[in-house]
Amino acid sequence: MTDTAACWTALENAPTATLKDLFAADADRVGRYSATLAVPGSDILFDWSKTHLSDDLVAGFEALASAAGFDTARETMLNGGMANPTEGRAAEHTAQRGMGADESVAEADAFHMRMRGLVEAIHGGVFGPVKHLIHIGIGGSALGPALAIDALARPTAEWRAPVDVHVVSNIDGNALEAAFEACDPATTMIAVASKTFTTIETMTNAASAIQWLEESGVADAYGKVVALTASPDKAVEWGVDETRVLPFSESVGGRYSLWSSIGFPVAIALGWDGFAEFLEGAAAVDRHFADADGFANLPLRAAFVDLMYVQLRGCQTRAVFAYDERLALFPDYLQQLEMESNGKSVLADGSPLGRQSAPITWGGVGTDAQHAVFQLLHQGTVEVPVDFIAVKQPGHDLDPEHHAILLTNCFAQGAALMAGKDSDDGARAYPGNRPSATILCEKMDPATLGALIAFHEHRTFANAVLLGINPFDQFGVELGKQIANQIAAGEGEGFDPSTEALLKTAGLKD
């Protein structure tokens, strides 16, 4: 057997215990399985004590990390080496935060300064009054900006974003029309975010946005457009002036691109200082991830928990519930990050994986989810590890009782999942021994959100390394797009009878 195979065998044979027994056997379990991560201006607490992780399993996973070459893989990724072998490139999102090859960090800094100049010019009135930005992208070009703006740019009694940002990703015209309805074309700019500047959904929406501006009497519609892309020549060819093209490196993957010029709408909403704090929060996690080893490395520790549930306990899903309305989009963001990165069936060398890879990531917002899906979590027939994410300081000025009830519910759900409750009436019995972890942020500000996202990026990477897969390609999204393009071009032939019938019924084919 290979070294990793022997490690997996040892892990599969490790003793197991219930959560109650684990706590009973270790009076300091909370202290040993919790940790605090320092973020500029605050801290984030991670509590994995209510998971089935044990000292035996920790030792086994540390051995697996060693056998899988985790230290070398981490160094390769963080230093700009060949972390993405199937596409022959590095994965340099951390260079956007100051950690990577010197030339990549210098390039990222230069691109950031270019973006800062444009942001400050817009805020300074160089382009006339700008009250709205419609940001058009899809996938990583939209999910990240939408999350950050929803979390950080909500108006308060004391503050309102200098520019109102609307993120549009769906090719369904209803999404774009809703943005048009909310904006005054005379004071609106358009950001077009596409790594290749050929993404059909994005470019179709962008063309419709140009048409809307022109039909609304805007004299120079293309003069209202900012392009965020790794293909600046294509943006210029499309019609964007070179001074309003914000490039980023080809080695920055779409779902890791929020830190690059794709973050332009975040900087427009928060101001440059806010975006810089966002980067620094992520950089703090990068430094921890680079310096801490084994169980002390918190993203790696989270990967131990993830793999324990998927590989050793057969869990096929992982649920994430944000007990804070500002993080309502966080589960959606994690779906792409985790499932597009690690939803693979082959190893990095192309050979079969031979075991489960990423679980299905899903979730929602507390307390709404308690009245919808928690029935399954408490009494259903499947085990679902849960991550609860909460924020100690509220983001509103209402009666503090609102936030107290919110946090009480969050912590009570974790306690109930673990404890369960016996009853002679089966319908009212709760089996308990159901796992959860809790992430408690001191406050929700740019640095904290940056840290929270970067933590999950590194958690995803650590999972991939221990499984032996490449988290930085995403060929699984291509086939459906290719067929859609063939159909649009009138080239699709010989589909299955169901698809042929649907195309004809919808009027897409004679």
Side-chain angles (χ1 to χ4, degrees):
M1 290 191 292
T2 65
D3 288 342
T4 56
C7 291
W8 280 117
T9 298
L11 283 164
E12 289 159 359
N13 292 328
T16 61
T18 67
L19 294 174
K20 288 182 180 179
D21 287 344
L22 288 169
F23 274 93
D26 183 359
D28 190 35
R29 181 170 177 81
V30 174
R32 294 199 305 115
Y33 284 86
S34 298
T36 299
L37 184 63
V39 175
S42 66
D43 294 321
I44 302 176
L45 171 68
F46 297 85
D47 180 1
W48 288 284
S49 63
K50 290 197 286 292
T51 71
H52 291 87
L53 203 60
S54 66
D55 292 350
D56 288 333
L57 289 173
V58 168
F61 278 116
E62 287 183 326
L64 175 64
S66 177
F70 174 78
D71 290 349
T72 299
R74 174 180 56 177
E75 182 178 3
T76 296
M77 190 268 288
L78 293 176
N79 291 330
M82 187 66 70
N84 182 358
T86 56
E87 296 183 291
R89 62 171 70 125
E92 297 192 290
H93 46 287
T94 62
Q96 307 298 308
R97 287 124 48 170
M99 181 173 290
D102 290 344
E103 61 274 18
S104 299
V105 172
E107 180 186 62
D109 287 345
F111 287 161
H112 279 149
M113 289 304 97
R114 181 185 177 98
M115 181 164 73
R116 178 178 184 173
L118 184 56
V119 167
E120 292 181 345
I122 292 170
H123 286 167
V126 172
F127 293 86
V130 177
K131 298 181 180 179
H132 309 280
L133 176 73
I134 298 177
H135 175 85
I136 298 172
I138 199 166
S141 297
L143 285 166
L147 164 63
I149 290 163
D150 192 48
L152 302 173
R154 293 178 176 229
T156 67
E158 296 81 23
W159 179 86
R160 188 177 185 89
V163 177
D164 185 27
V165 179
H166 302 264
V167 178
V168 177
S169 59
N170 200 335
I171 189 63
D172 185 336
N174 288 295
L176 195 57
E177 280 195 339
F180 293 163
E181 187 66 27
C183 299
D184 175 3
T187 58
T188 298
M189 293 192 74
I190 309 293
V192 181
S194 171
K195 186 172 184 177
T196 62
F197 228 72
T198 60
T199 309
I200 187 168
E201 300 96 332
T202 298
M203 302 317 298
T204 301
N205 277 335
S208 293
I210 291 291
Q211 182 180 356
W212 171 69
L213 290 175
E214 291 175 341
E215 291 177 350
S216 301
V218 175
D220 178 15
Y222 284 92
K224 295 274 196 172
V225 178
V226 177
L228 320 173
T229 183
S231 304
D233 292 346
K234 288 193 172 106
V236 172
E237 181 182 347
W238 189 77
V240 185
D241 188 86
E242 189 273 338
T243 59
R244 283 174 281 100
V245 176
L246 300 179
F248 62 94
S249 172
E250 183 69 27
S251 59
V252 177
R255 58 193 172 280
Y256 301 92
S257 62
L258 179 57
W259 322 100
S260 71
S261 66
I262 296 297
F264 168 77
V266 183
I268 282 288
L270 301 183
W272 187 259
D273 288 347
F275 187 70
E277 292 169 12
F278 181 64
L279 294 175
E280 182 50 39
V285 178
D286 293 340
R287 292 188 289 271
H288 166 82
F289 186 65
D291 295 340
D293 293 319
F295 187 65
N297 188 302
L298 301 188
L300 181 60
R301 188 187 305 189
F304 291 172
V305 175
D306 295 339
L307 292 170
M308 172 183 63
Y309 284 111
V310 176
Q311 306 298 330
L312 308 184
R313 297 179 69 90
C315 299
Q316 295 188 329
T317 80
R318 183 173 83 84
V320 180
F321 296 100
Y323 273 71
D324 195 293
E325 187 70 21
R326 293 168 292 181
L327 293 174
L329 297 180
F330 198 67
D332 289 349
Y333 183 84
L334 290 185
Q335 283 184 334
Q336 185 195 31
L337 174 63
E338 297 180 356
M339 293 197 289
E340 191 166 275
S341 294
N342 291 345
K344 312 288 172 62
S345 58
V346 297
L347 298 171
D349 63 6
S351 61
L353 173 59
R355 61 175 58 251
Q356 298 297 315
S357 58
I360 297 166
T361 306
W362 63 286
V365 181
T367 58
D368 289 357
Q370 292 177 197
H371 296 269
V373 301
F374 274 46
Q375 168 63 42
L376 180 145
L377 298 178
H378 285 288
Q379 292 185 308
T381 57
V382 295
E383 181 176 72
V384 180
V386 176
D387 275 4
F388 294 107
I389 305 177
V391 182
K392 186 175 178 181
Q393 296 181 17
H396 57 79
D397 296 321
L398 299 180
D399 189 323
E401 183 181 9
H402 280 271
H403 203 61
I405 293 172
L406 180 72
L407 293 181
T408 298
N409 272 271
C410 177
F411 304 149
Q413 290 298 325
L417 285 167
M418 173 182 156
K421 183 179 179 181
D422 293 330
S423 174
D424 293 335
D425 180 355
R428 291 174 172 80
Y430 300 79
N433 194 38
R434 302 208 165 181
S436 68
T438 301
I439 300 173
L440 180 60
C441 305
E442 180 69 26
K443 57 186 175 180
M444 185 45 53
D445 59 8
T448 300
L449 182 64
L452 196 59
I453 295 173
F455 168 84
H456 284 87
E457 288 179 346
H458 293 316
R459 173 184 191 163
T460 300
F461 173 77
N463 269 283
V465 173
L466 270 58
L467 287 171
I469 63 179
N470 175 10
F472 298 117
D473 63 18
Q474 58 280 328
F475 297 113
V477 305
E478 297 299 323
L479 182 58
K481 290 165 59 175
Q482 292 168 6
I483 293 175
N485 290 337
Q486 290 172 4
I487 293 171
E491 299 171 355
E493 297 293 341
F495 295 117
D496 62 87
S498 171
T499 302
E500 290 284 351
L502 290 168
L503 290 169
K504 291 175 182 178
T505 302
L508 297 175
K509 195 171 184 179
D510 295 333

